[in-house]
């Protein structure tokens, strides 16, 4: 046969084969592949066509409901814009095969001492108009998802915009906090994104068909600003908003992790996802870092620590209640009546109490605006080294640094400088008037607490907390409390400038519900020392770092019952967030044996003697507590051997918790 005719005959056939191949390739690029977390509960899917991803979708599979799938997250925008014009018109070039990640690490503080995380990692590689690759690294954990962006080969370029967008439909139940520099605001229940400035601070809690999602971020490095969410253009589209970031980079750059914790309420409460994705500990020696309780002057006196006689009262209180620390607050550089800070430090050390000192970060409120001092001692590196060296020499155990300038990159870098310098001089750190935790507690475990919460200090400032406190307190464990230590300064029995109407047992429950490795006891010494011996013993012995944390029951704003374990002892606390009495459900059999001993603190209902304290065993106790309006309870359960759930028991408990 003529060769030319053979070729002519084959050309249409080859064309058909080629078209079919191209059609198959195009179909493959429709991105309908689905990836799962190691336990199969979290599902991740990308949809699009012609090498363009239109949306990433996340679903949750409920084992208690025949693996019913619930769509919980729609990511309708992704990528970055850079100052050199990069990031535009992203074209998908590659999707990696899933890589299994398994990690164990220890935490010195927090809700859990031994942490284990598992994830499947997928990497999407895109190319922009500059033919520069942008990688989107996605990790599917058993309790949520995390993703970040990576760029290589930047040449004096800054990151102008993060294009990540979460689509949240109107009507979805949510507890969002309007953004402020200090993250001191409420988390009201709402079903709309409209109203206010439409600018929201992390964490953001959503509920959809009984499945909860908590949006936040983690892994802030020197090269990053922190971010928040804005939905001003469309109330259903929440854009990741980068705070001020003018720094130019050369070389490789990574964004923080965009984190979404997903599951039932108990999954979110127990989650360590924020620290799971954060950088491992960078300190060679952590043996000197000791969580503990602190006596603190400011709340009761609405003033700093320039009066040596009042400082002595709080040192004596710490000694009497066996608290390891006393915080000497603002204005210690302006002591009255010729006294000196050295005298105060010596008084504390002579009584076996370790002092902590307050500083103004001198980045936000300056002295001319009325913010107290000391000022400008920590900003310049050489001044910071000198100051921290002096503190170490004087036997100071840590610093509380206040009034930071928001989420901008310069502030994040300054915070890391402070943590690293403090660690060199064996100083713990408490950030106040600062952004919420984003995983630094793992990377720099000398960061023992952070404020970033509308806490009890506000009884000094406005009357609004009086009526809102109970509901607010019952919301925080499901929102702010999930991401890290929260220096709320809880448990006060007397009043400050404005009264509180939560009960004594409600207040006693807060130090358990609100995790903080430095737990500040802020009431007047005479108030604590007037309480029954059992209450004083509780304050003296309460841990401030935990081995395990569980949610037993509750709903944001209504009630919460949590159990935390230290060694073989369980601390169970519950509060009523309502203005009417209600039953708070609990299941003690899931924690310990029936013959375990229980000390129970409840409200008596009378003003003359507000406490009802009893001794019992787990056997025979009811599966609920009757809580008074804005009331609460605390249990301390001691057993010789803690309960270690097997796989079958765990599944059973999970189903019980689903019902609750």
């Amino acid at each position: 046969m003529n060769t030319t005719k053979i070729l002519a005959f084959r050309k249409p056939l080859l064309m058909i084969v080629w078209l079919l191949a191209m059609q198959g390739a195009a179909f493959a690029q429709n991105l309908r592949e689905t990836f799962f977390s190691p336990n199969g509960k979290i599902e991740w899917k990308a949809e699009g066509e012609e090498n363009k991803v239109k949306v990433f979708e996340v679903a949750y599979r409920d084992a208690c409901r025949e693996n019913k799938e619930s769509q919980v997250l729609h990511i309708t925008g992704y990528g970055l814009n850079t100052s050199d014009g990069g990031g535009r018109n992203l074209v998908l070039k590659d999707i990696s095969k899933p890589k299994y990640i398994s990690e164990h690490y220890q935490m010195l503080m927090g809700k859990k001492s031994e942490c284990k995380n598992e994830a499947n990692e997928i990497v999407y590689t895109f190319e922009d108009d500059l033919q520069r690759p942008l990688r989107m690294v996605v990790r599917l954990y058993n309790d949520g998802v995390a993703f970040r962006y990576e760029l290589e080969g930047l040449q004096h370029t800054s990151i102008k915009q993060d294009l990540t967008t979460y689509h949240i439909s109107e009507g979805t139940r949510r507890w969002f906090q309007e953004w402020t520099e200090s993250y001191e605001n409420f988390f009201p229940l709402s079903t709309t994104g409209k109203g206010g400035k439409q600018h929201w601070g992390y964490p953001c809690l959503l509920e959809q068909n009984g499945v909860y999602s908590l949006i936040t971020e983690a892994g802030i490095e020197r090269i990053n600003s922190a971010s928040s969410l804005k939905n001003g253009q469309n109330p259903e589209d929440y854009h990741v908003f980068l705070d001020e970031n003018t720094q130019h980079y050369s070389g490789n750059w990574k964004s923080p992790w965009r984190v979404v914790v997903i599951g039932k309420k108990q999954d979110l409460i127990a989650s360590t996802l924020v620290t799971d994705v954060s950088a491992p500990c960078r300190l060679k020696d952590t043996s000197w870092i000791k969580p503990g309780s602190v006596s603190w002057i400011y709340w009761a006196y609405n003033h700093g620590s320039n009066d040596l006689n009042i400082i002595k009262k709080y040192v004596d209180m710490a000694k009497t209640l066996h608290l390891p620390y006393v915080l000497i607050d603002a204005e210690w550089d302006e002591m009255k009546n010729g006294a000196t800070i050295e005298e105060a430090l010596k008084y504390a050390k002579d009584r076996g109490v370790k002092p902590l000192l307050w500083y103004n970060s001198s980045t936000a409120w300056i002295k001319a605006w009325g913010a107290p001092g000391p000022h400008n001692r920590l900003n310049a590196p050489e001044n910071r080294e000198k100051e921290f060296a002096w503190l170490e020499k004087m036997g100071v155990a840590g610093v509380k640094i206040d009034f930071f300038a928001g989420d901008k990159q310069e502030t994040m870098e300054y915070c890391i400088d402070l943590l690293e310098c403090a660690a060199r001089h064996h100083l713990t750190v408490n950030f106040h008037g600062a952004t919420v935790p984003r995983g630094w507690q793992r990377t720099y475990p000398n960061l023992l607490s952070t404020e970033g919460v509308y806490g009890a200090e506000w009884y000094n400032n406005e009357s609004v907390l009086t009526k809102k406190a109970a509901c607010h307190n019952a919301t925080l464990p499901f929102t702010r409390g999930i991401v890290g230590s929260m220096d709320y300064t809880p448990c006060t029995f007397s009043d400050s400038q404005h009264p509180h109407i939560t009960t004594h047992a409600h207040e006693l429950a807060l130090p358990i519900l609100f995790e903080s490795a430095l737990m500040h006891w802020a009431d007047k010494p005479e108030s604590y020392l007037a309480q029954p011996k059992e209450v004083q013993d509780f304050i003296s012995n309460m841990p401030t770092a935990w081995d395990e944390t569980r949610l037993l029951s509750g709903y944001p704003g209504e009630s919460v019952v949590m159990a935390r374990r230290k060694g073989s002892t369980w601390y169970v606390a519950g509060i009523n967030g309502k203005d009417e009495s209600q039953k708070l459900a609990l299941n003690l059999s899931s924690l310990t044996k029936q013959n375990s001993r229980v000390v129970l603190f409840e409200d008596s209902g009378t003003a003359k003697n507000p406490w009802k304290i009893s001794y019992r065993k787990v056997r025979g106790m009811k599966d609920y507590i009757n809580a008074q309006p804005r009331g609460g309870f605390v249990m301390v359960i001691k057993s010789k051997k803690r309960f270690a759930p097997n796989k079958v028991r765990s599944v059973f408990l999970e189903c019980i918790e689903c019902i609750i």
Side-chain angles (χ1 to χ4, degrees), residues 341-343 345-346 349 355 389-397:
I341 185 60
E342 286 79 7
E343 291 178 77
L345 297 178
K346 184 177 186 304
K349 291 189 294 180
W390 173 70
L391 294 180
E392 184 177 23
K393 180 181 178 181
M394 296 300 296
V396 173

Side-chain angles (χ1 to χ4, degrees), residues 288-300:
W288 54 274
I289 302 172
K290 306 294 183 183
S293 286
V294 189
S295 65
W296 181 47
I297 184 175
Y298 171 77
W299 185 86

Side-chain angles (χ1 to χ4, degrees), residues 584-616:
L584 306 183
L586 67 156
N587 177 17
L588 298 183
S589 64
S590 68
L591 304 177
T592 188
K593 294 183 176 180
Q594 291 292 304
N595 62 353
S596 297
R597 295 169 295 162
V598 179
V599 183
L600 174 61
F601 300 83
E602 297 176 274
D603 294 305
S604 69
T606 63
K608 185 177 181 180
N609 182 16
W611 292 106
K612 180 182 177 183
I613 303 172
S614 57
Y615 296 84
R616 308 183 184 186

Side-chain angles (χ1 to χ4, degrees), residues 166-395:
Y166 304 106
H167 182 83
I168 302 171
S169 300
E170 285 286 282
T172 302
R173 293 171 73 86
R174 82 279 307 272
W175 294 261
F176 285 11
Q177 174 188 170
E178 287 198 38
W179 184 88
T180 65
E181 278 195 352
S182 63
Y183 285 80
E184 296 178 43
N185 219 325
F186 295 105
F187 291 86
L189 169 62
S190 178
T191 58
T192 180
K194 300 176 182 178
K197 297 180 180 178
Q198 293 180 272
H199 186 186
W200 314 97
Y202 299 130
C204 303
L205 178 66
L206 302 165
E207 180 193 1
Q208 301 169 83
N209 301 318
V211 181
Y212 293 80
S213 306
L214 186 93
I215 302 173
T216 187
E217 70 177 347
I220 301 282
E221 298 287 357
R222 295 177 181 277
I223 57 176
N224 307 126
S225 70
S227 74
S228 49
L229 296 180
K230 283 190 173 184
N231 67 326
Q233 297 176 350
N234 180 340
E236 294 190 328
D237 289 337
Y238 291 75
H239 302 276
V240 169
F241 173 74
L242 301 179
D243 209 294
E244 181 181 323
N245 188 352
T246 58
Q247 182 174 347
H248 285 70
Y249 313 99
S250 293
N252 301 336
W253 183 90
K254 295 178 181 178
S255 76
W257 290 97
R258 308 286 165 233
V259 176
V260 187
V261 189
I262 300 170
K264 299 299 183 180
K265 295 188 296 286
Q266 63 268 20
D267 299 322
L268 271 64
I269 293 291
S271 175
T272 58
L273 192 50
V274 168
T275 51
D276 290 349
V277 299
S278 297
C281 177
R282 290 173 178 163
L283 308 186
K284 292 182 180 180
D285 175 27
T286 60
S287 61
W288 54 274
I289 302 172
K290 306 294 183 183
S293 286
V294 189
S295 65
W296 181 47
I297 184 175
Y298 171 77
W299 185 86
Y301 286 87
N302 196 25
H303 213 290
S305 296
N306 59 4
D307 188 325
L308 181 58
N309 291 326
I310 297 179
I311 293 174
K312 288 180 177 180
K313 288 176 59 176
Y314 280 84
V315 171
D316 294 344
M317 167 188 146
K319 181 181 179 181
T320 301
L321 293 177
H322 306 288
L323 312 182
Y325 299 109
V326 61
L327 173 61
I328 300 176
D329 212 87
E331 301 177 321
W332 57 261
D333 58 332
E334 300 175 357
M335 301 282 280
K336 293 194 259 183
N337 303 320
T340 65
I341 185 60
E342 286 79 7
E343 291 178 77
L345 297 178
K346 184 177 186 304
Y347 188 87
K349 291 189 294 180
D350 287 349
R351 284 150 186 79
V353 179
K354 300 174 185 177
L356 310 172
L357 284 188
W358 185 98
Y359 284 85
N360 193 315
S361 78
S362 302
T363 61
W365 285 20
I366 60 175
K367 190 172 183 180
W369 296 347
H375 301 91
N376 301 315
R377 296 197 183 192
L378 306 179
N379 303 78
E382 61 274 14
N383 294 343
R384 184 164 56 242
E385 285 287 346
K386 180 181 178 181
E387 191 76 8
F388 284 175
W390 173 70
L391 294 180
E392 184 177 23
K393 180 181 178 181
M394 296 300 296

Side-chain angles (χ1 to χ4, degrees), residues 129-148:
D129 279 352
L130 302 181
Q131 296 185 326
R132 183 167 61 202
L134 180 146
R135 289 192 298 273
M136 182 178 179
V137 181
V138 180
R139 290 185 181 176
L140 309 183
Y141 288 85
N142 289 333
D143 55 355
V145 302
F147 59 94
R148 72 179 179 192

Side-chain angles (χ1 to χ4, degrees), residues 451-483:
E451 189 183 23
V453 65
Y454 197 102
E457 279 190 34
W458 281 90
Y459 283 118
N460 276 332
N461 303 329
E462 295 180 3
S463 60
V464 65
L465 192 57
T466 297
K467 292 185 178 180
K468 285 191 173 184
C471 177
H472 179 54
N473 294 344
T475 304
L476 288 173
F478 300 97
T479 52
R480 168 63 179 84
I482 289 175
V483 300

